[in-house]
Amino acid sequence: MNWIQKILDPDNMRRAWEEVRERKGAPGIDRVSLKRWERNWEERLTALADEVRANTYQARKLRQFHIPKKDGTLRTISILTVSDRVLQRAVLRLVDDVFEKTFLNCSHGYRPGRGVRSAIPEILKYRDYGRTWVVDADIDNCFPSLDHELIVKFFKQKVKDPLVLRLLKQWARQGEASPGTGISLGAVISPLLCNIYLHRLDEGLLDAGYFPVRYADDFCIFTSSETEAQKAKRATGEILEKLKLKFEPNKTNITTFERGFDFLGVHFYRDTYSFEAEAKKVEVKGAFDPDLFFDYAPEGYR
């Protein structure tokens, strides 16, 4: 497949622009707003495609701001220029399906038709199967820690086009937290890159006989005993080390349904799960009730 030809196809570029416009968002470091970009969007799309073909395209610096996390540290959010967002969306529209076919059922974040609503019934399934010991884990500083060489290596397994890889390397460097590591939180293509990277964690855990449920860098592993949970945690640490990642120590522990734990804003305790909605607590006993969940869950959970 001629990837770059398909990516830069006028119809694909137009659709990418329309999707960026629909998602709205603030201007990037160049201060060019969506409204301003729209005034001559056809000329801008043509110029952007020509730059990529001529190898003269350069990703712009990021406009960044910081928001506080629950632990008191700051999370850096990046805003790309409209042009960079459009080009990333054009790439994503073509490559997303290719990688999506390889992802495993235990992965629920940043995927079409999946999310908290698909993760909850899977967790309850493991609970009902007697896998009530839980490794409740989080990856330390995930997006800023992803290794660029590994990103390119994993990406090349499906997409080998040199011009696409050149774009990928530029976008990785855009979000560098330190030399050779880090992708920007807020970039169009970053969620896919995260899933491509952590797909190796999913594969490693399943190959070792464990039962994970993962949403981006937040995941749980369900086992039938404390001993097995300890082994699963050690095995996970070894897999993360190969990926040049590590546990977030303050957010990683071994627990049980009997003690209760939180995952993606949902609290699991014994045979119930609960969440906050419209300033009140919704608690469900037993099996997953999709109608109740969709009626009450916050928009982002649906």
Side-chain angles (χ1 to χ4, degrees), residues 74-177:
L74 295 176
R75 175 179 284 114
T76 301
I77 304 296
S78 301
I79 302 176
L80 280 65
T81 64
V82 176
S83 294
D84 285 349
R85 299 207 300 265
V86 169
L87 188 54
Q88 288 196 13
R89 180 65 58 182
V91 172
L92 187 66
R93 295 189 80 256
L94 267 293
V95 305
D96 193 31
D97 285 347
V98 174
F99 289 103
E100 174 63 26
K101 292 174 184 176
T102 70
F103 295 153
L104 301 170
N105 285 336
C106 62
S107 168
H108 297 268
Y110 310 134
R111 297 181 61 189
R114 299 175 73 83
V116 178
R117 65 178 181 180
S118 59
I120 292 176
E122 190 167 358
I123 290 170
L124 300 182
K125 175 187 72 177
Y126 290 133
R127 178 199 68 188
D128 296 341
Y129 284 171
R131 301 187 181 280
T132 56
W133 283 85
V134 184
V135 181
D136 182 10
D138 200 312
I139 297 172
D140 186 36
N141 221 20
C142 182
F143 275 61
S145 301
L146 300 184
D147 181 81
H148 292 178
E149 287 188 10
L150 290 179
I151 290 172
V152 174
K153 176 184 175 181
F154 299 151
F155 196 89
K156 281 176 67 175
Q157 291 177 4
K158 295 294 179 182
V159 180
K160 297 180 174 63
D161 188 297
L163 286 180
V164 179
L165 294 174
R166 183 177 182 272
L167 295 176
L168 179 67
K169 291 173 184 177
Q170 284 200 47
W171 293 333
R173 286 195 297 271
Q174 256 187 325
E176 273 188 338

Side-chain angles (χ1 to χ4, degrees), residues 47-58:
L48 189 56
D50 288 345
E51 287 177 9
V52 175
R53 291 190 187 96
N55 264 339
T56 58
Y57 165 81
Q58 293 292 328

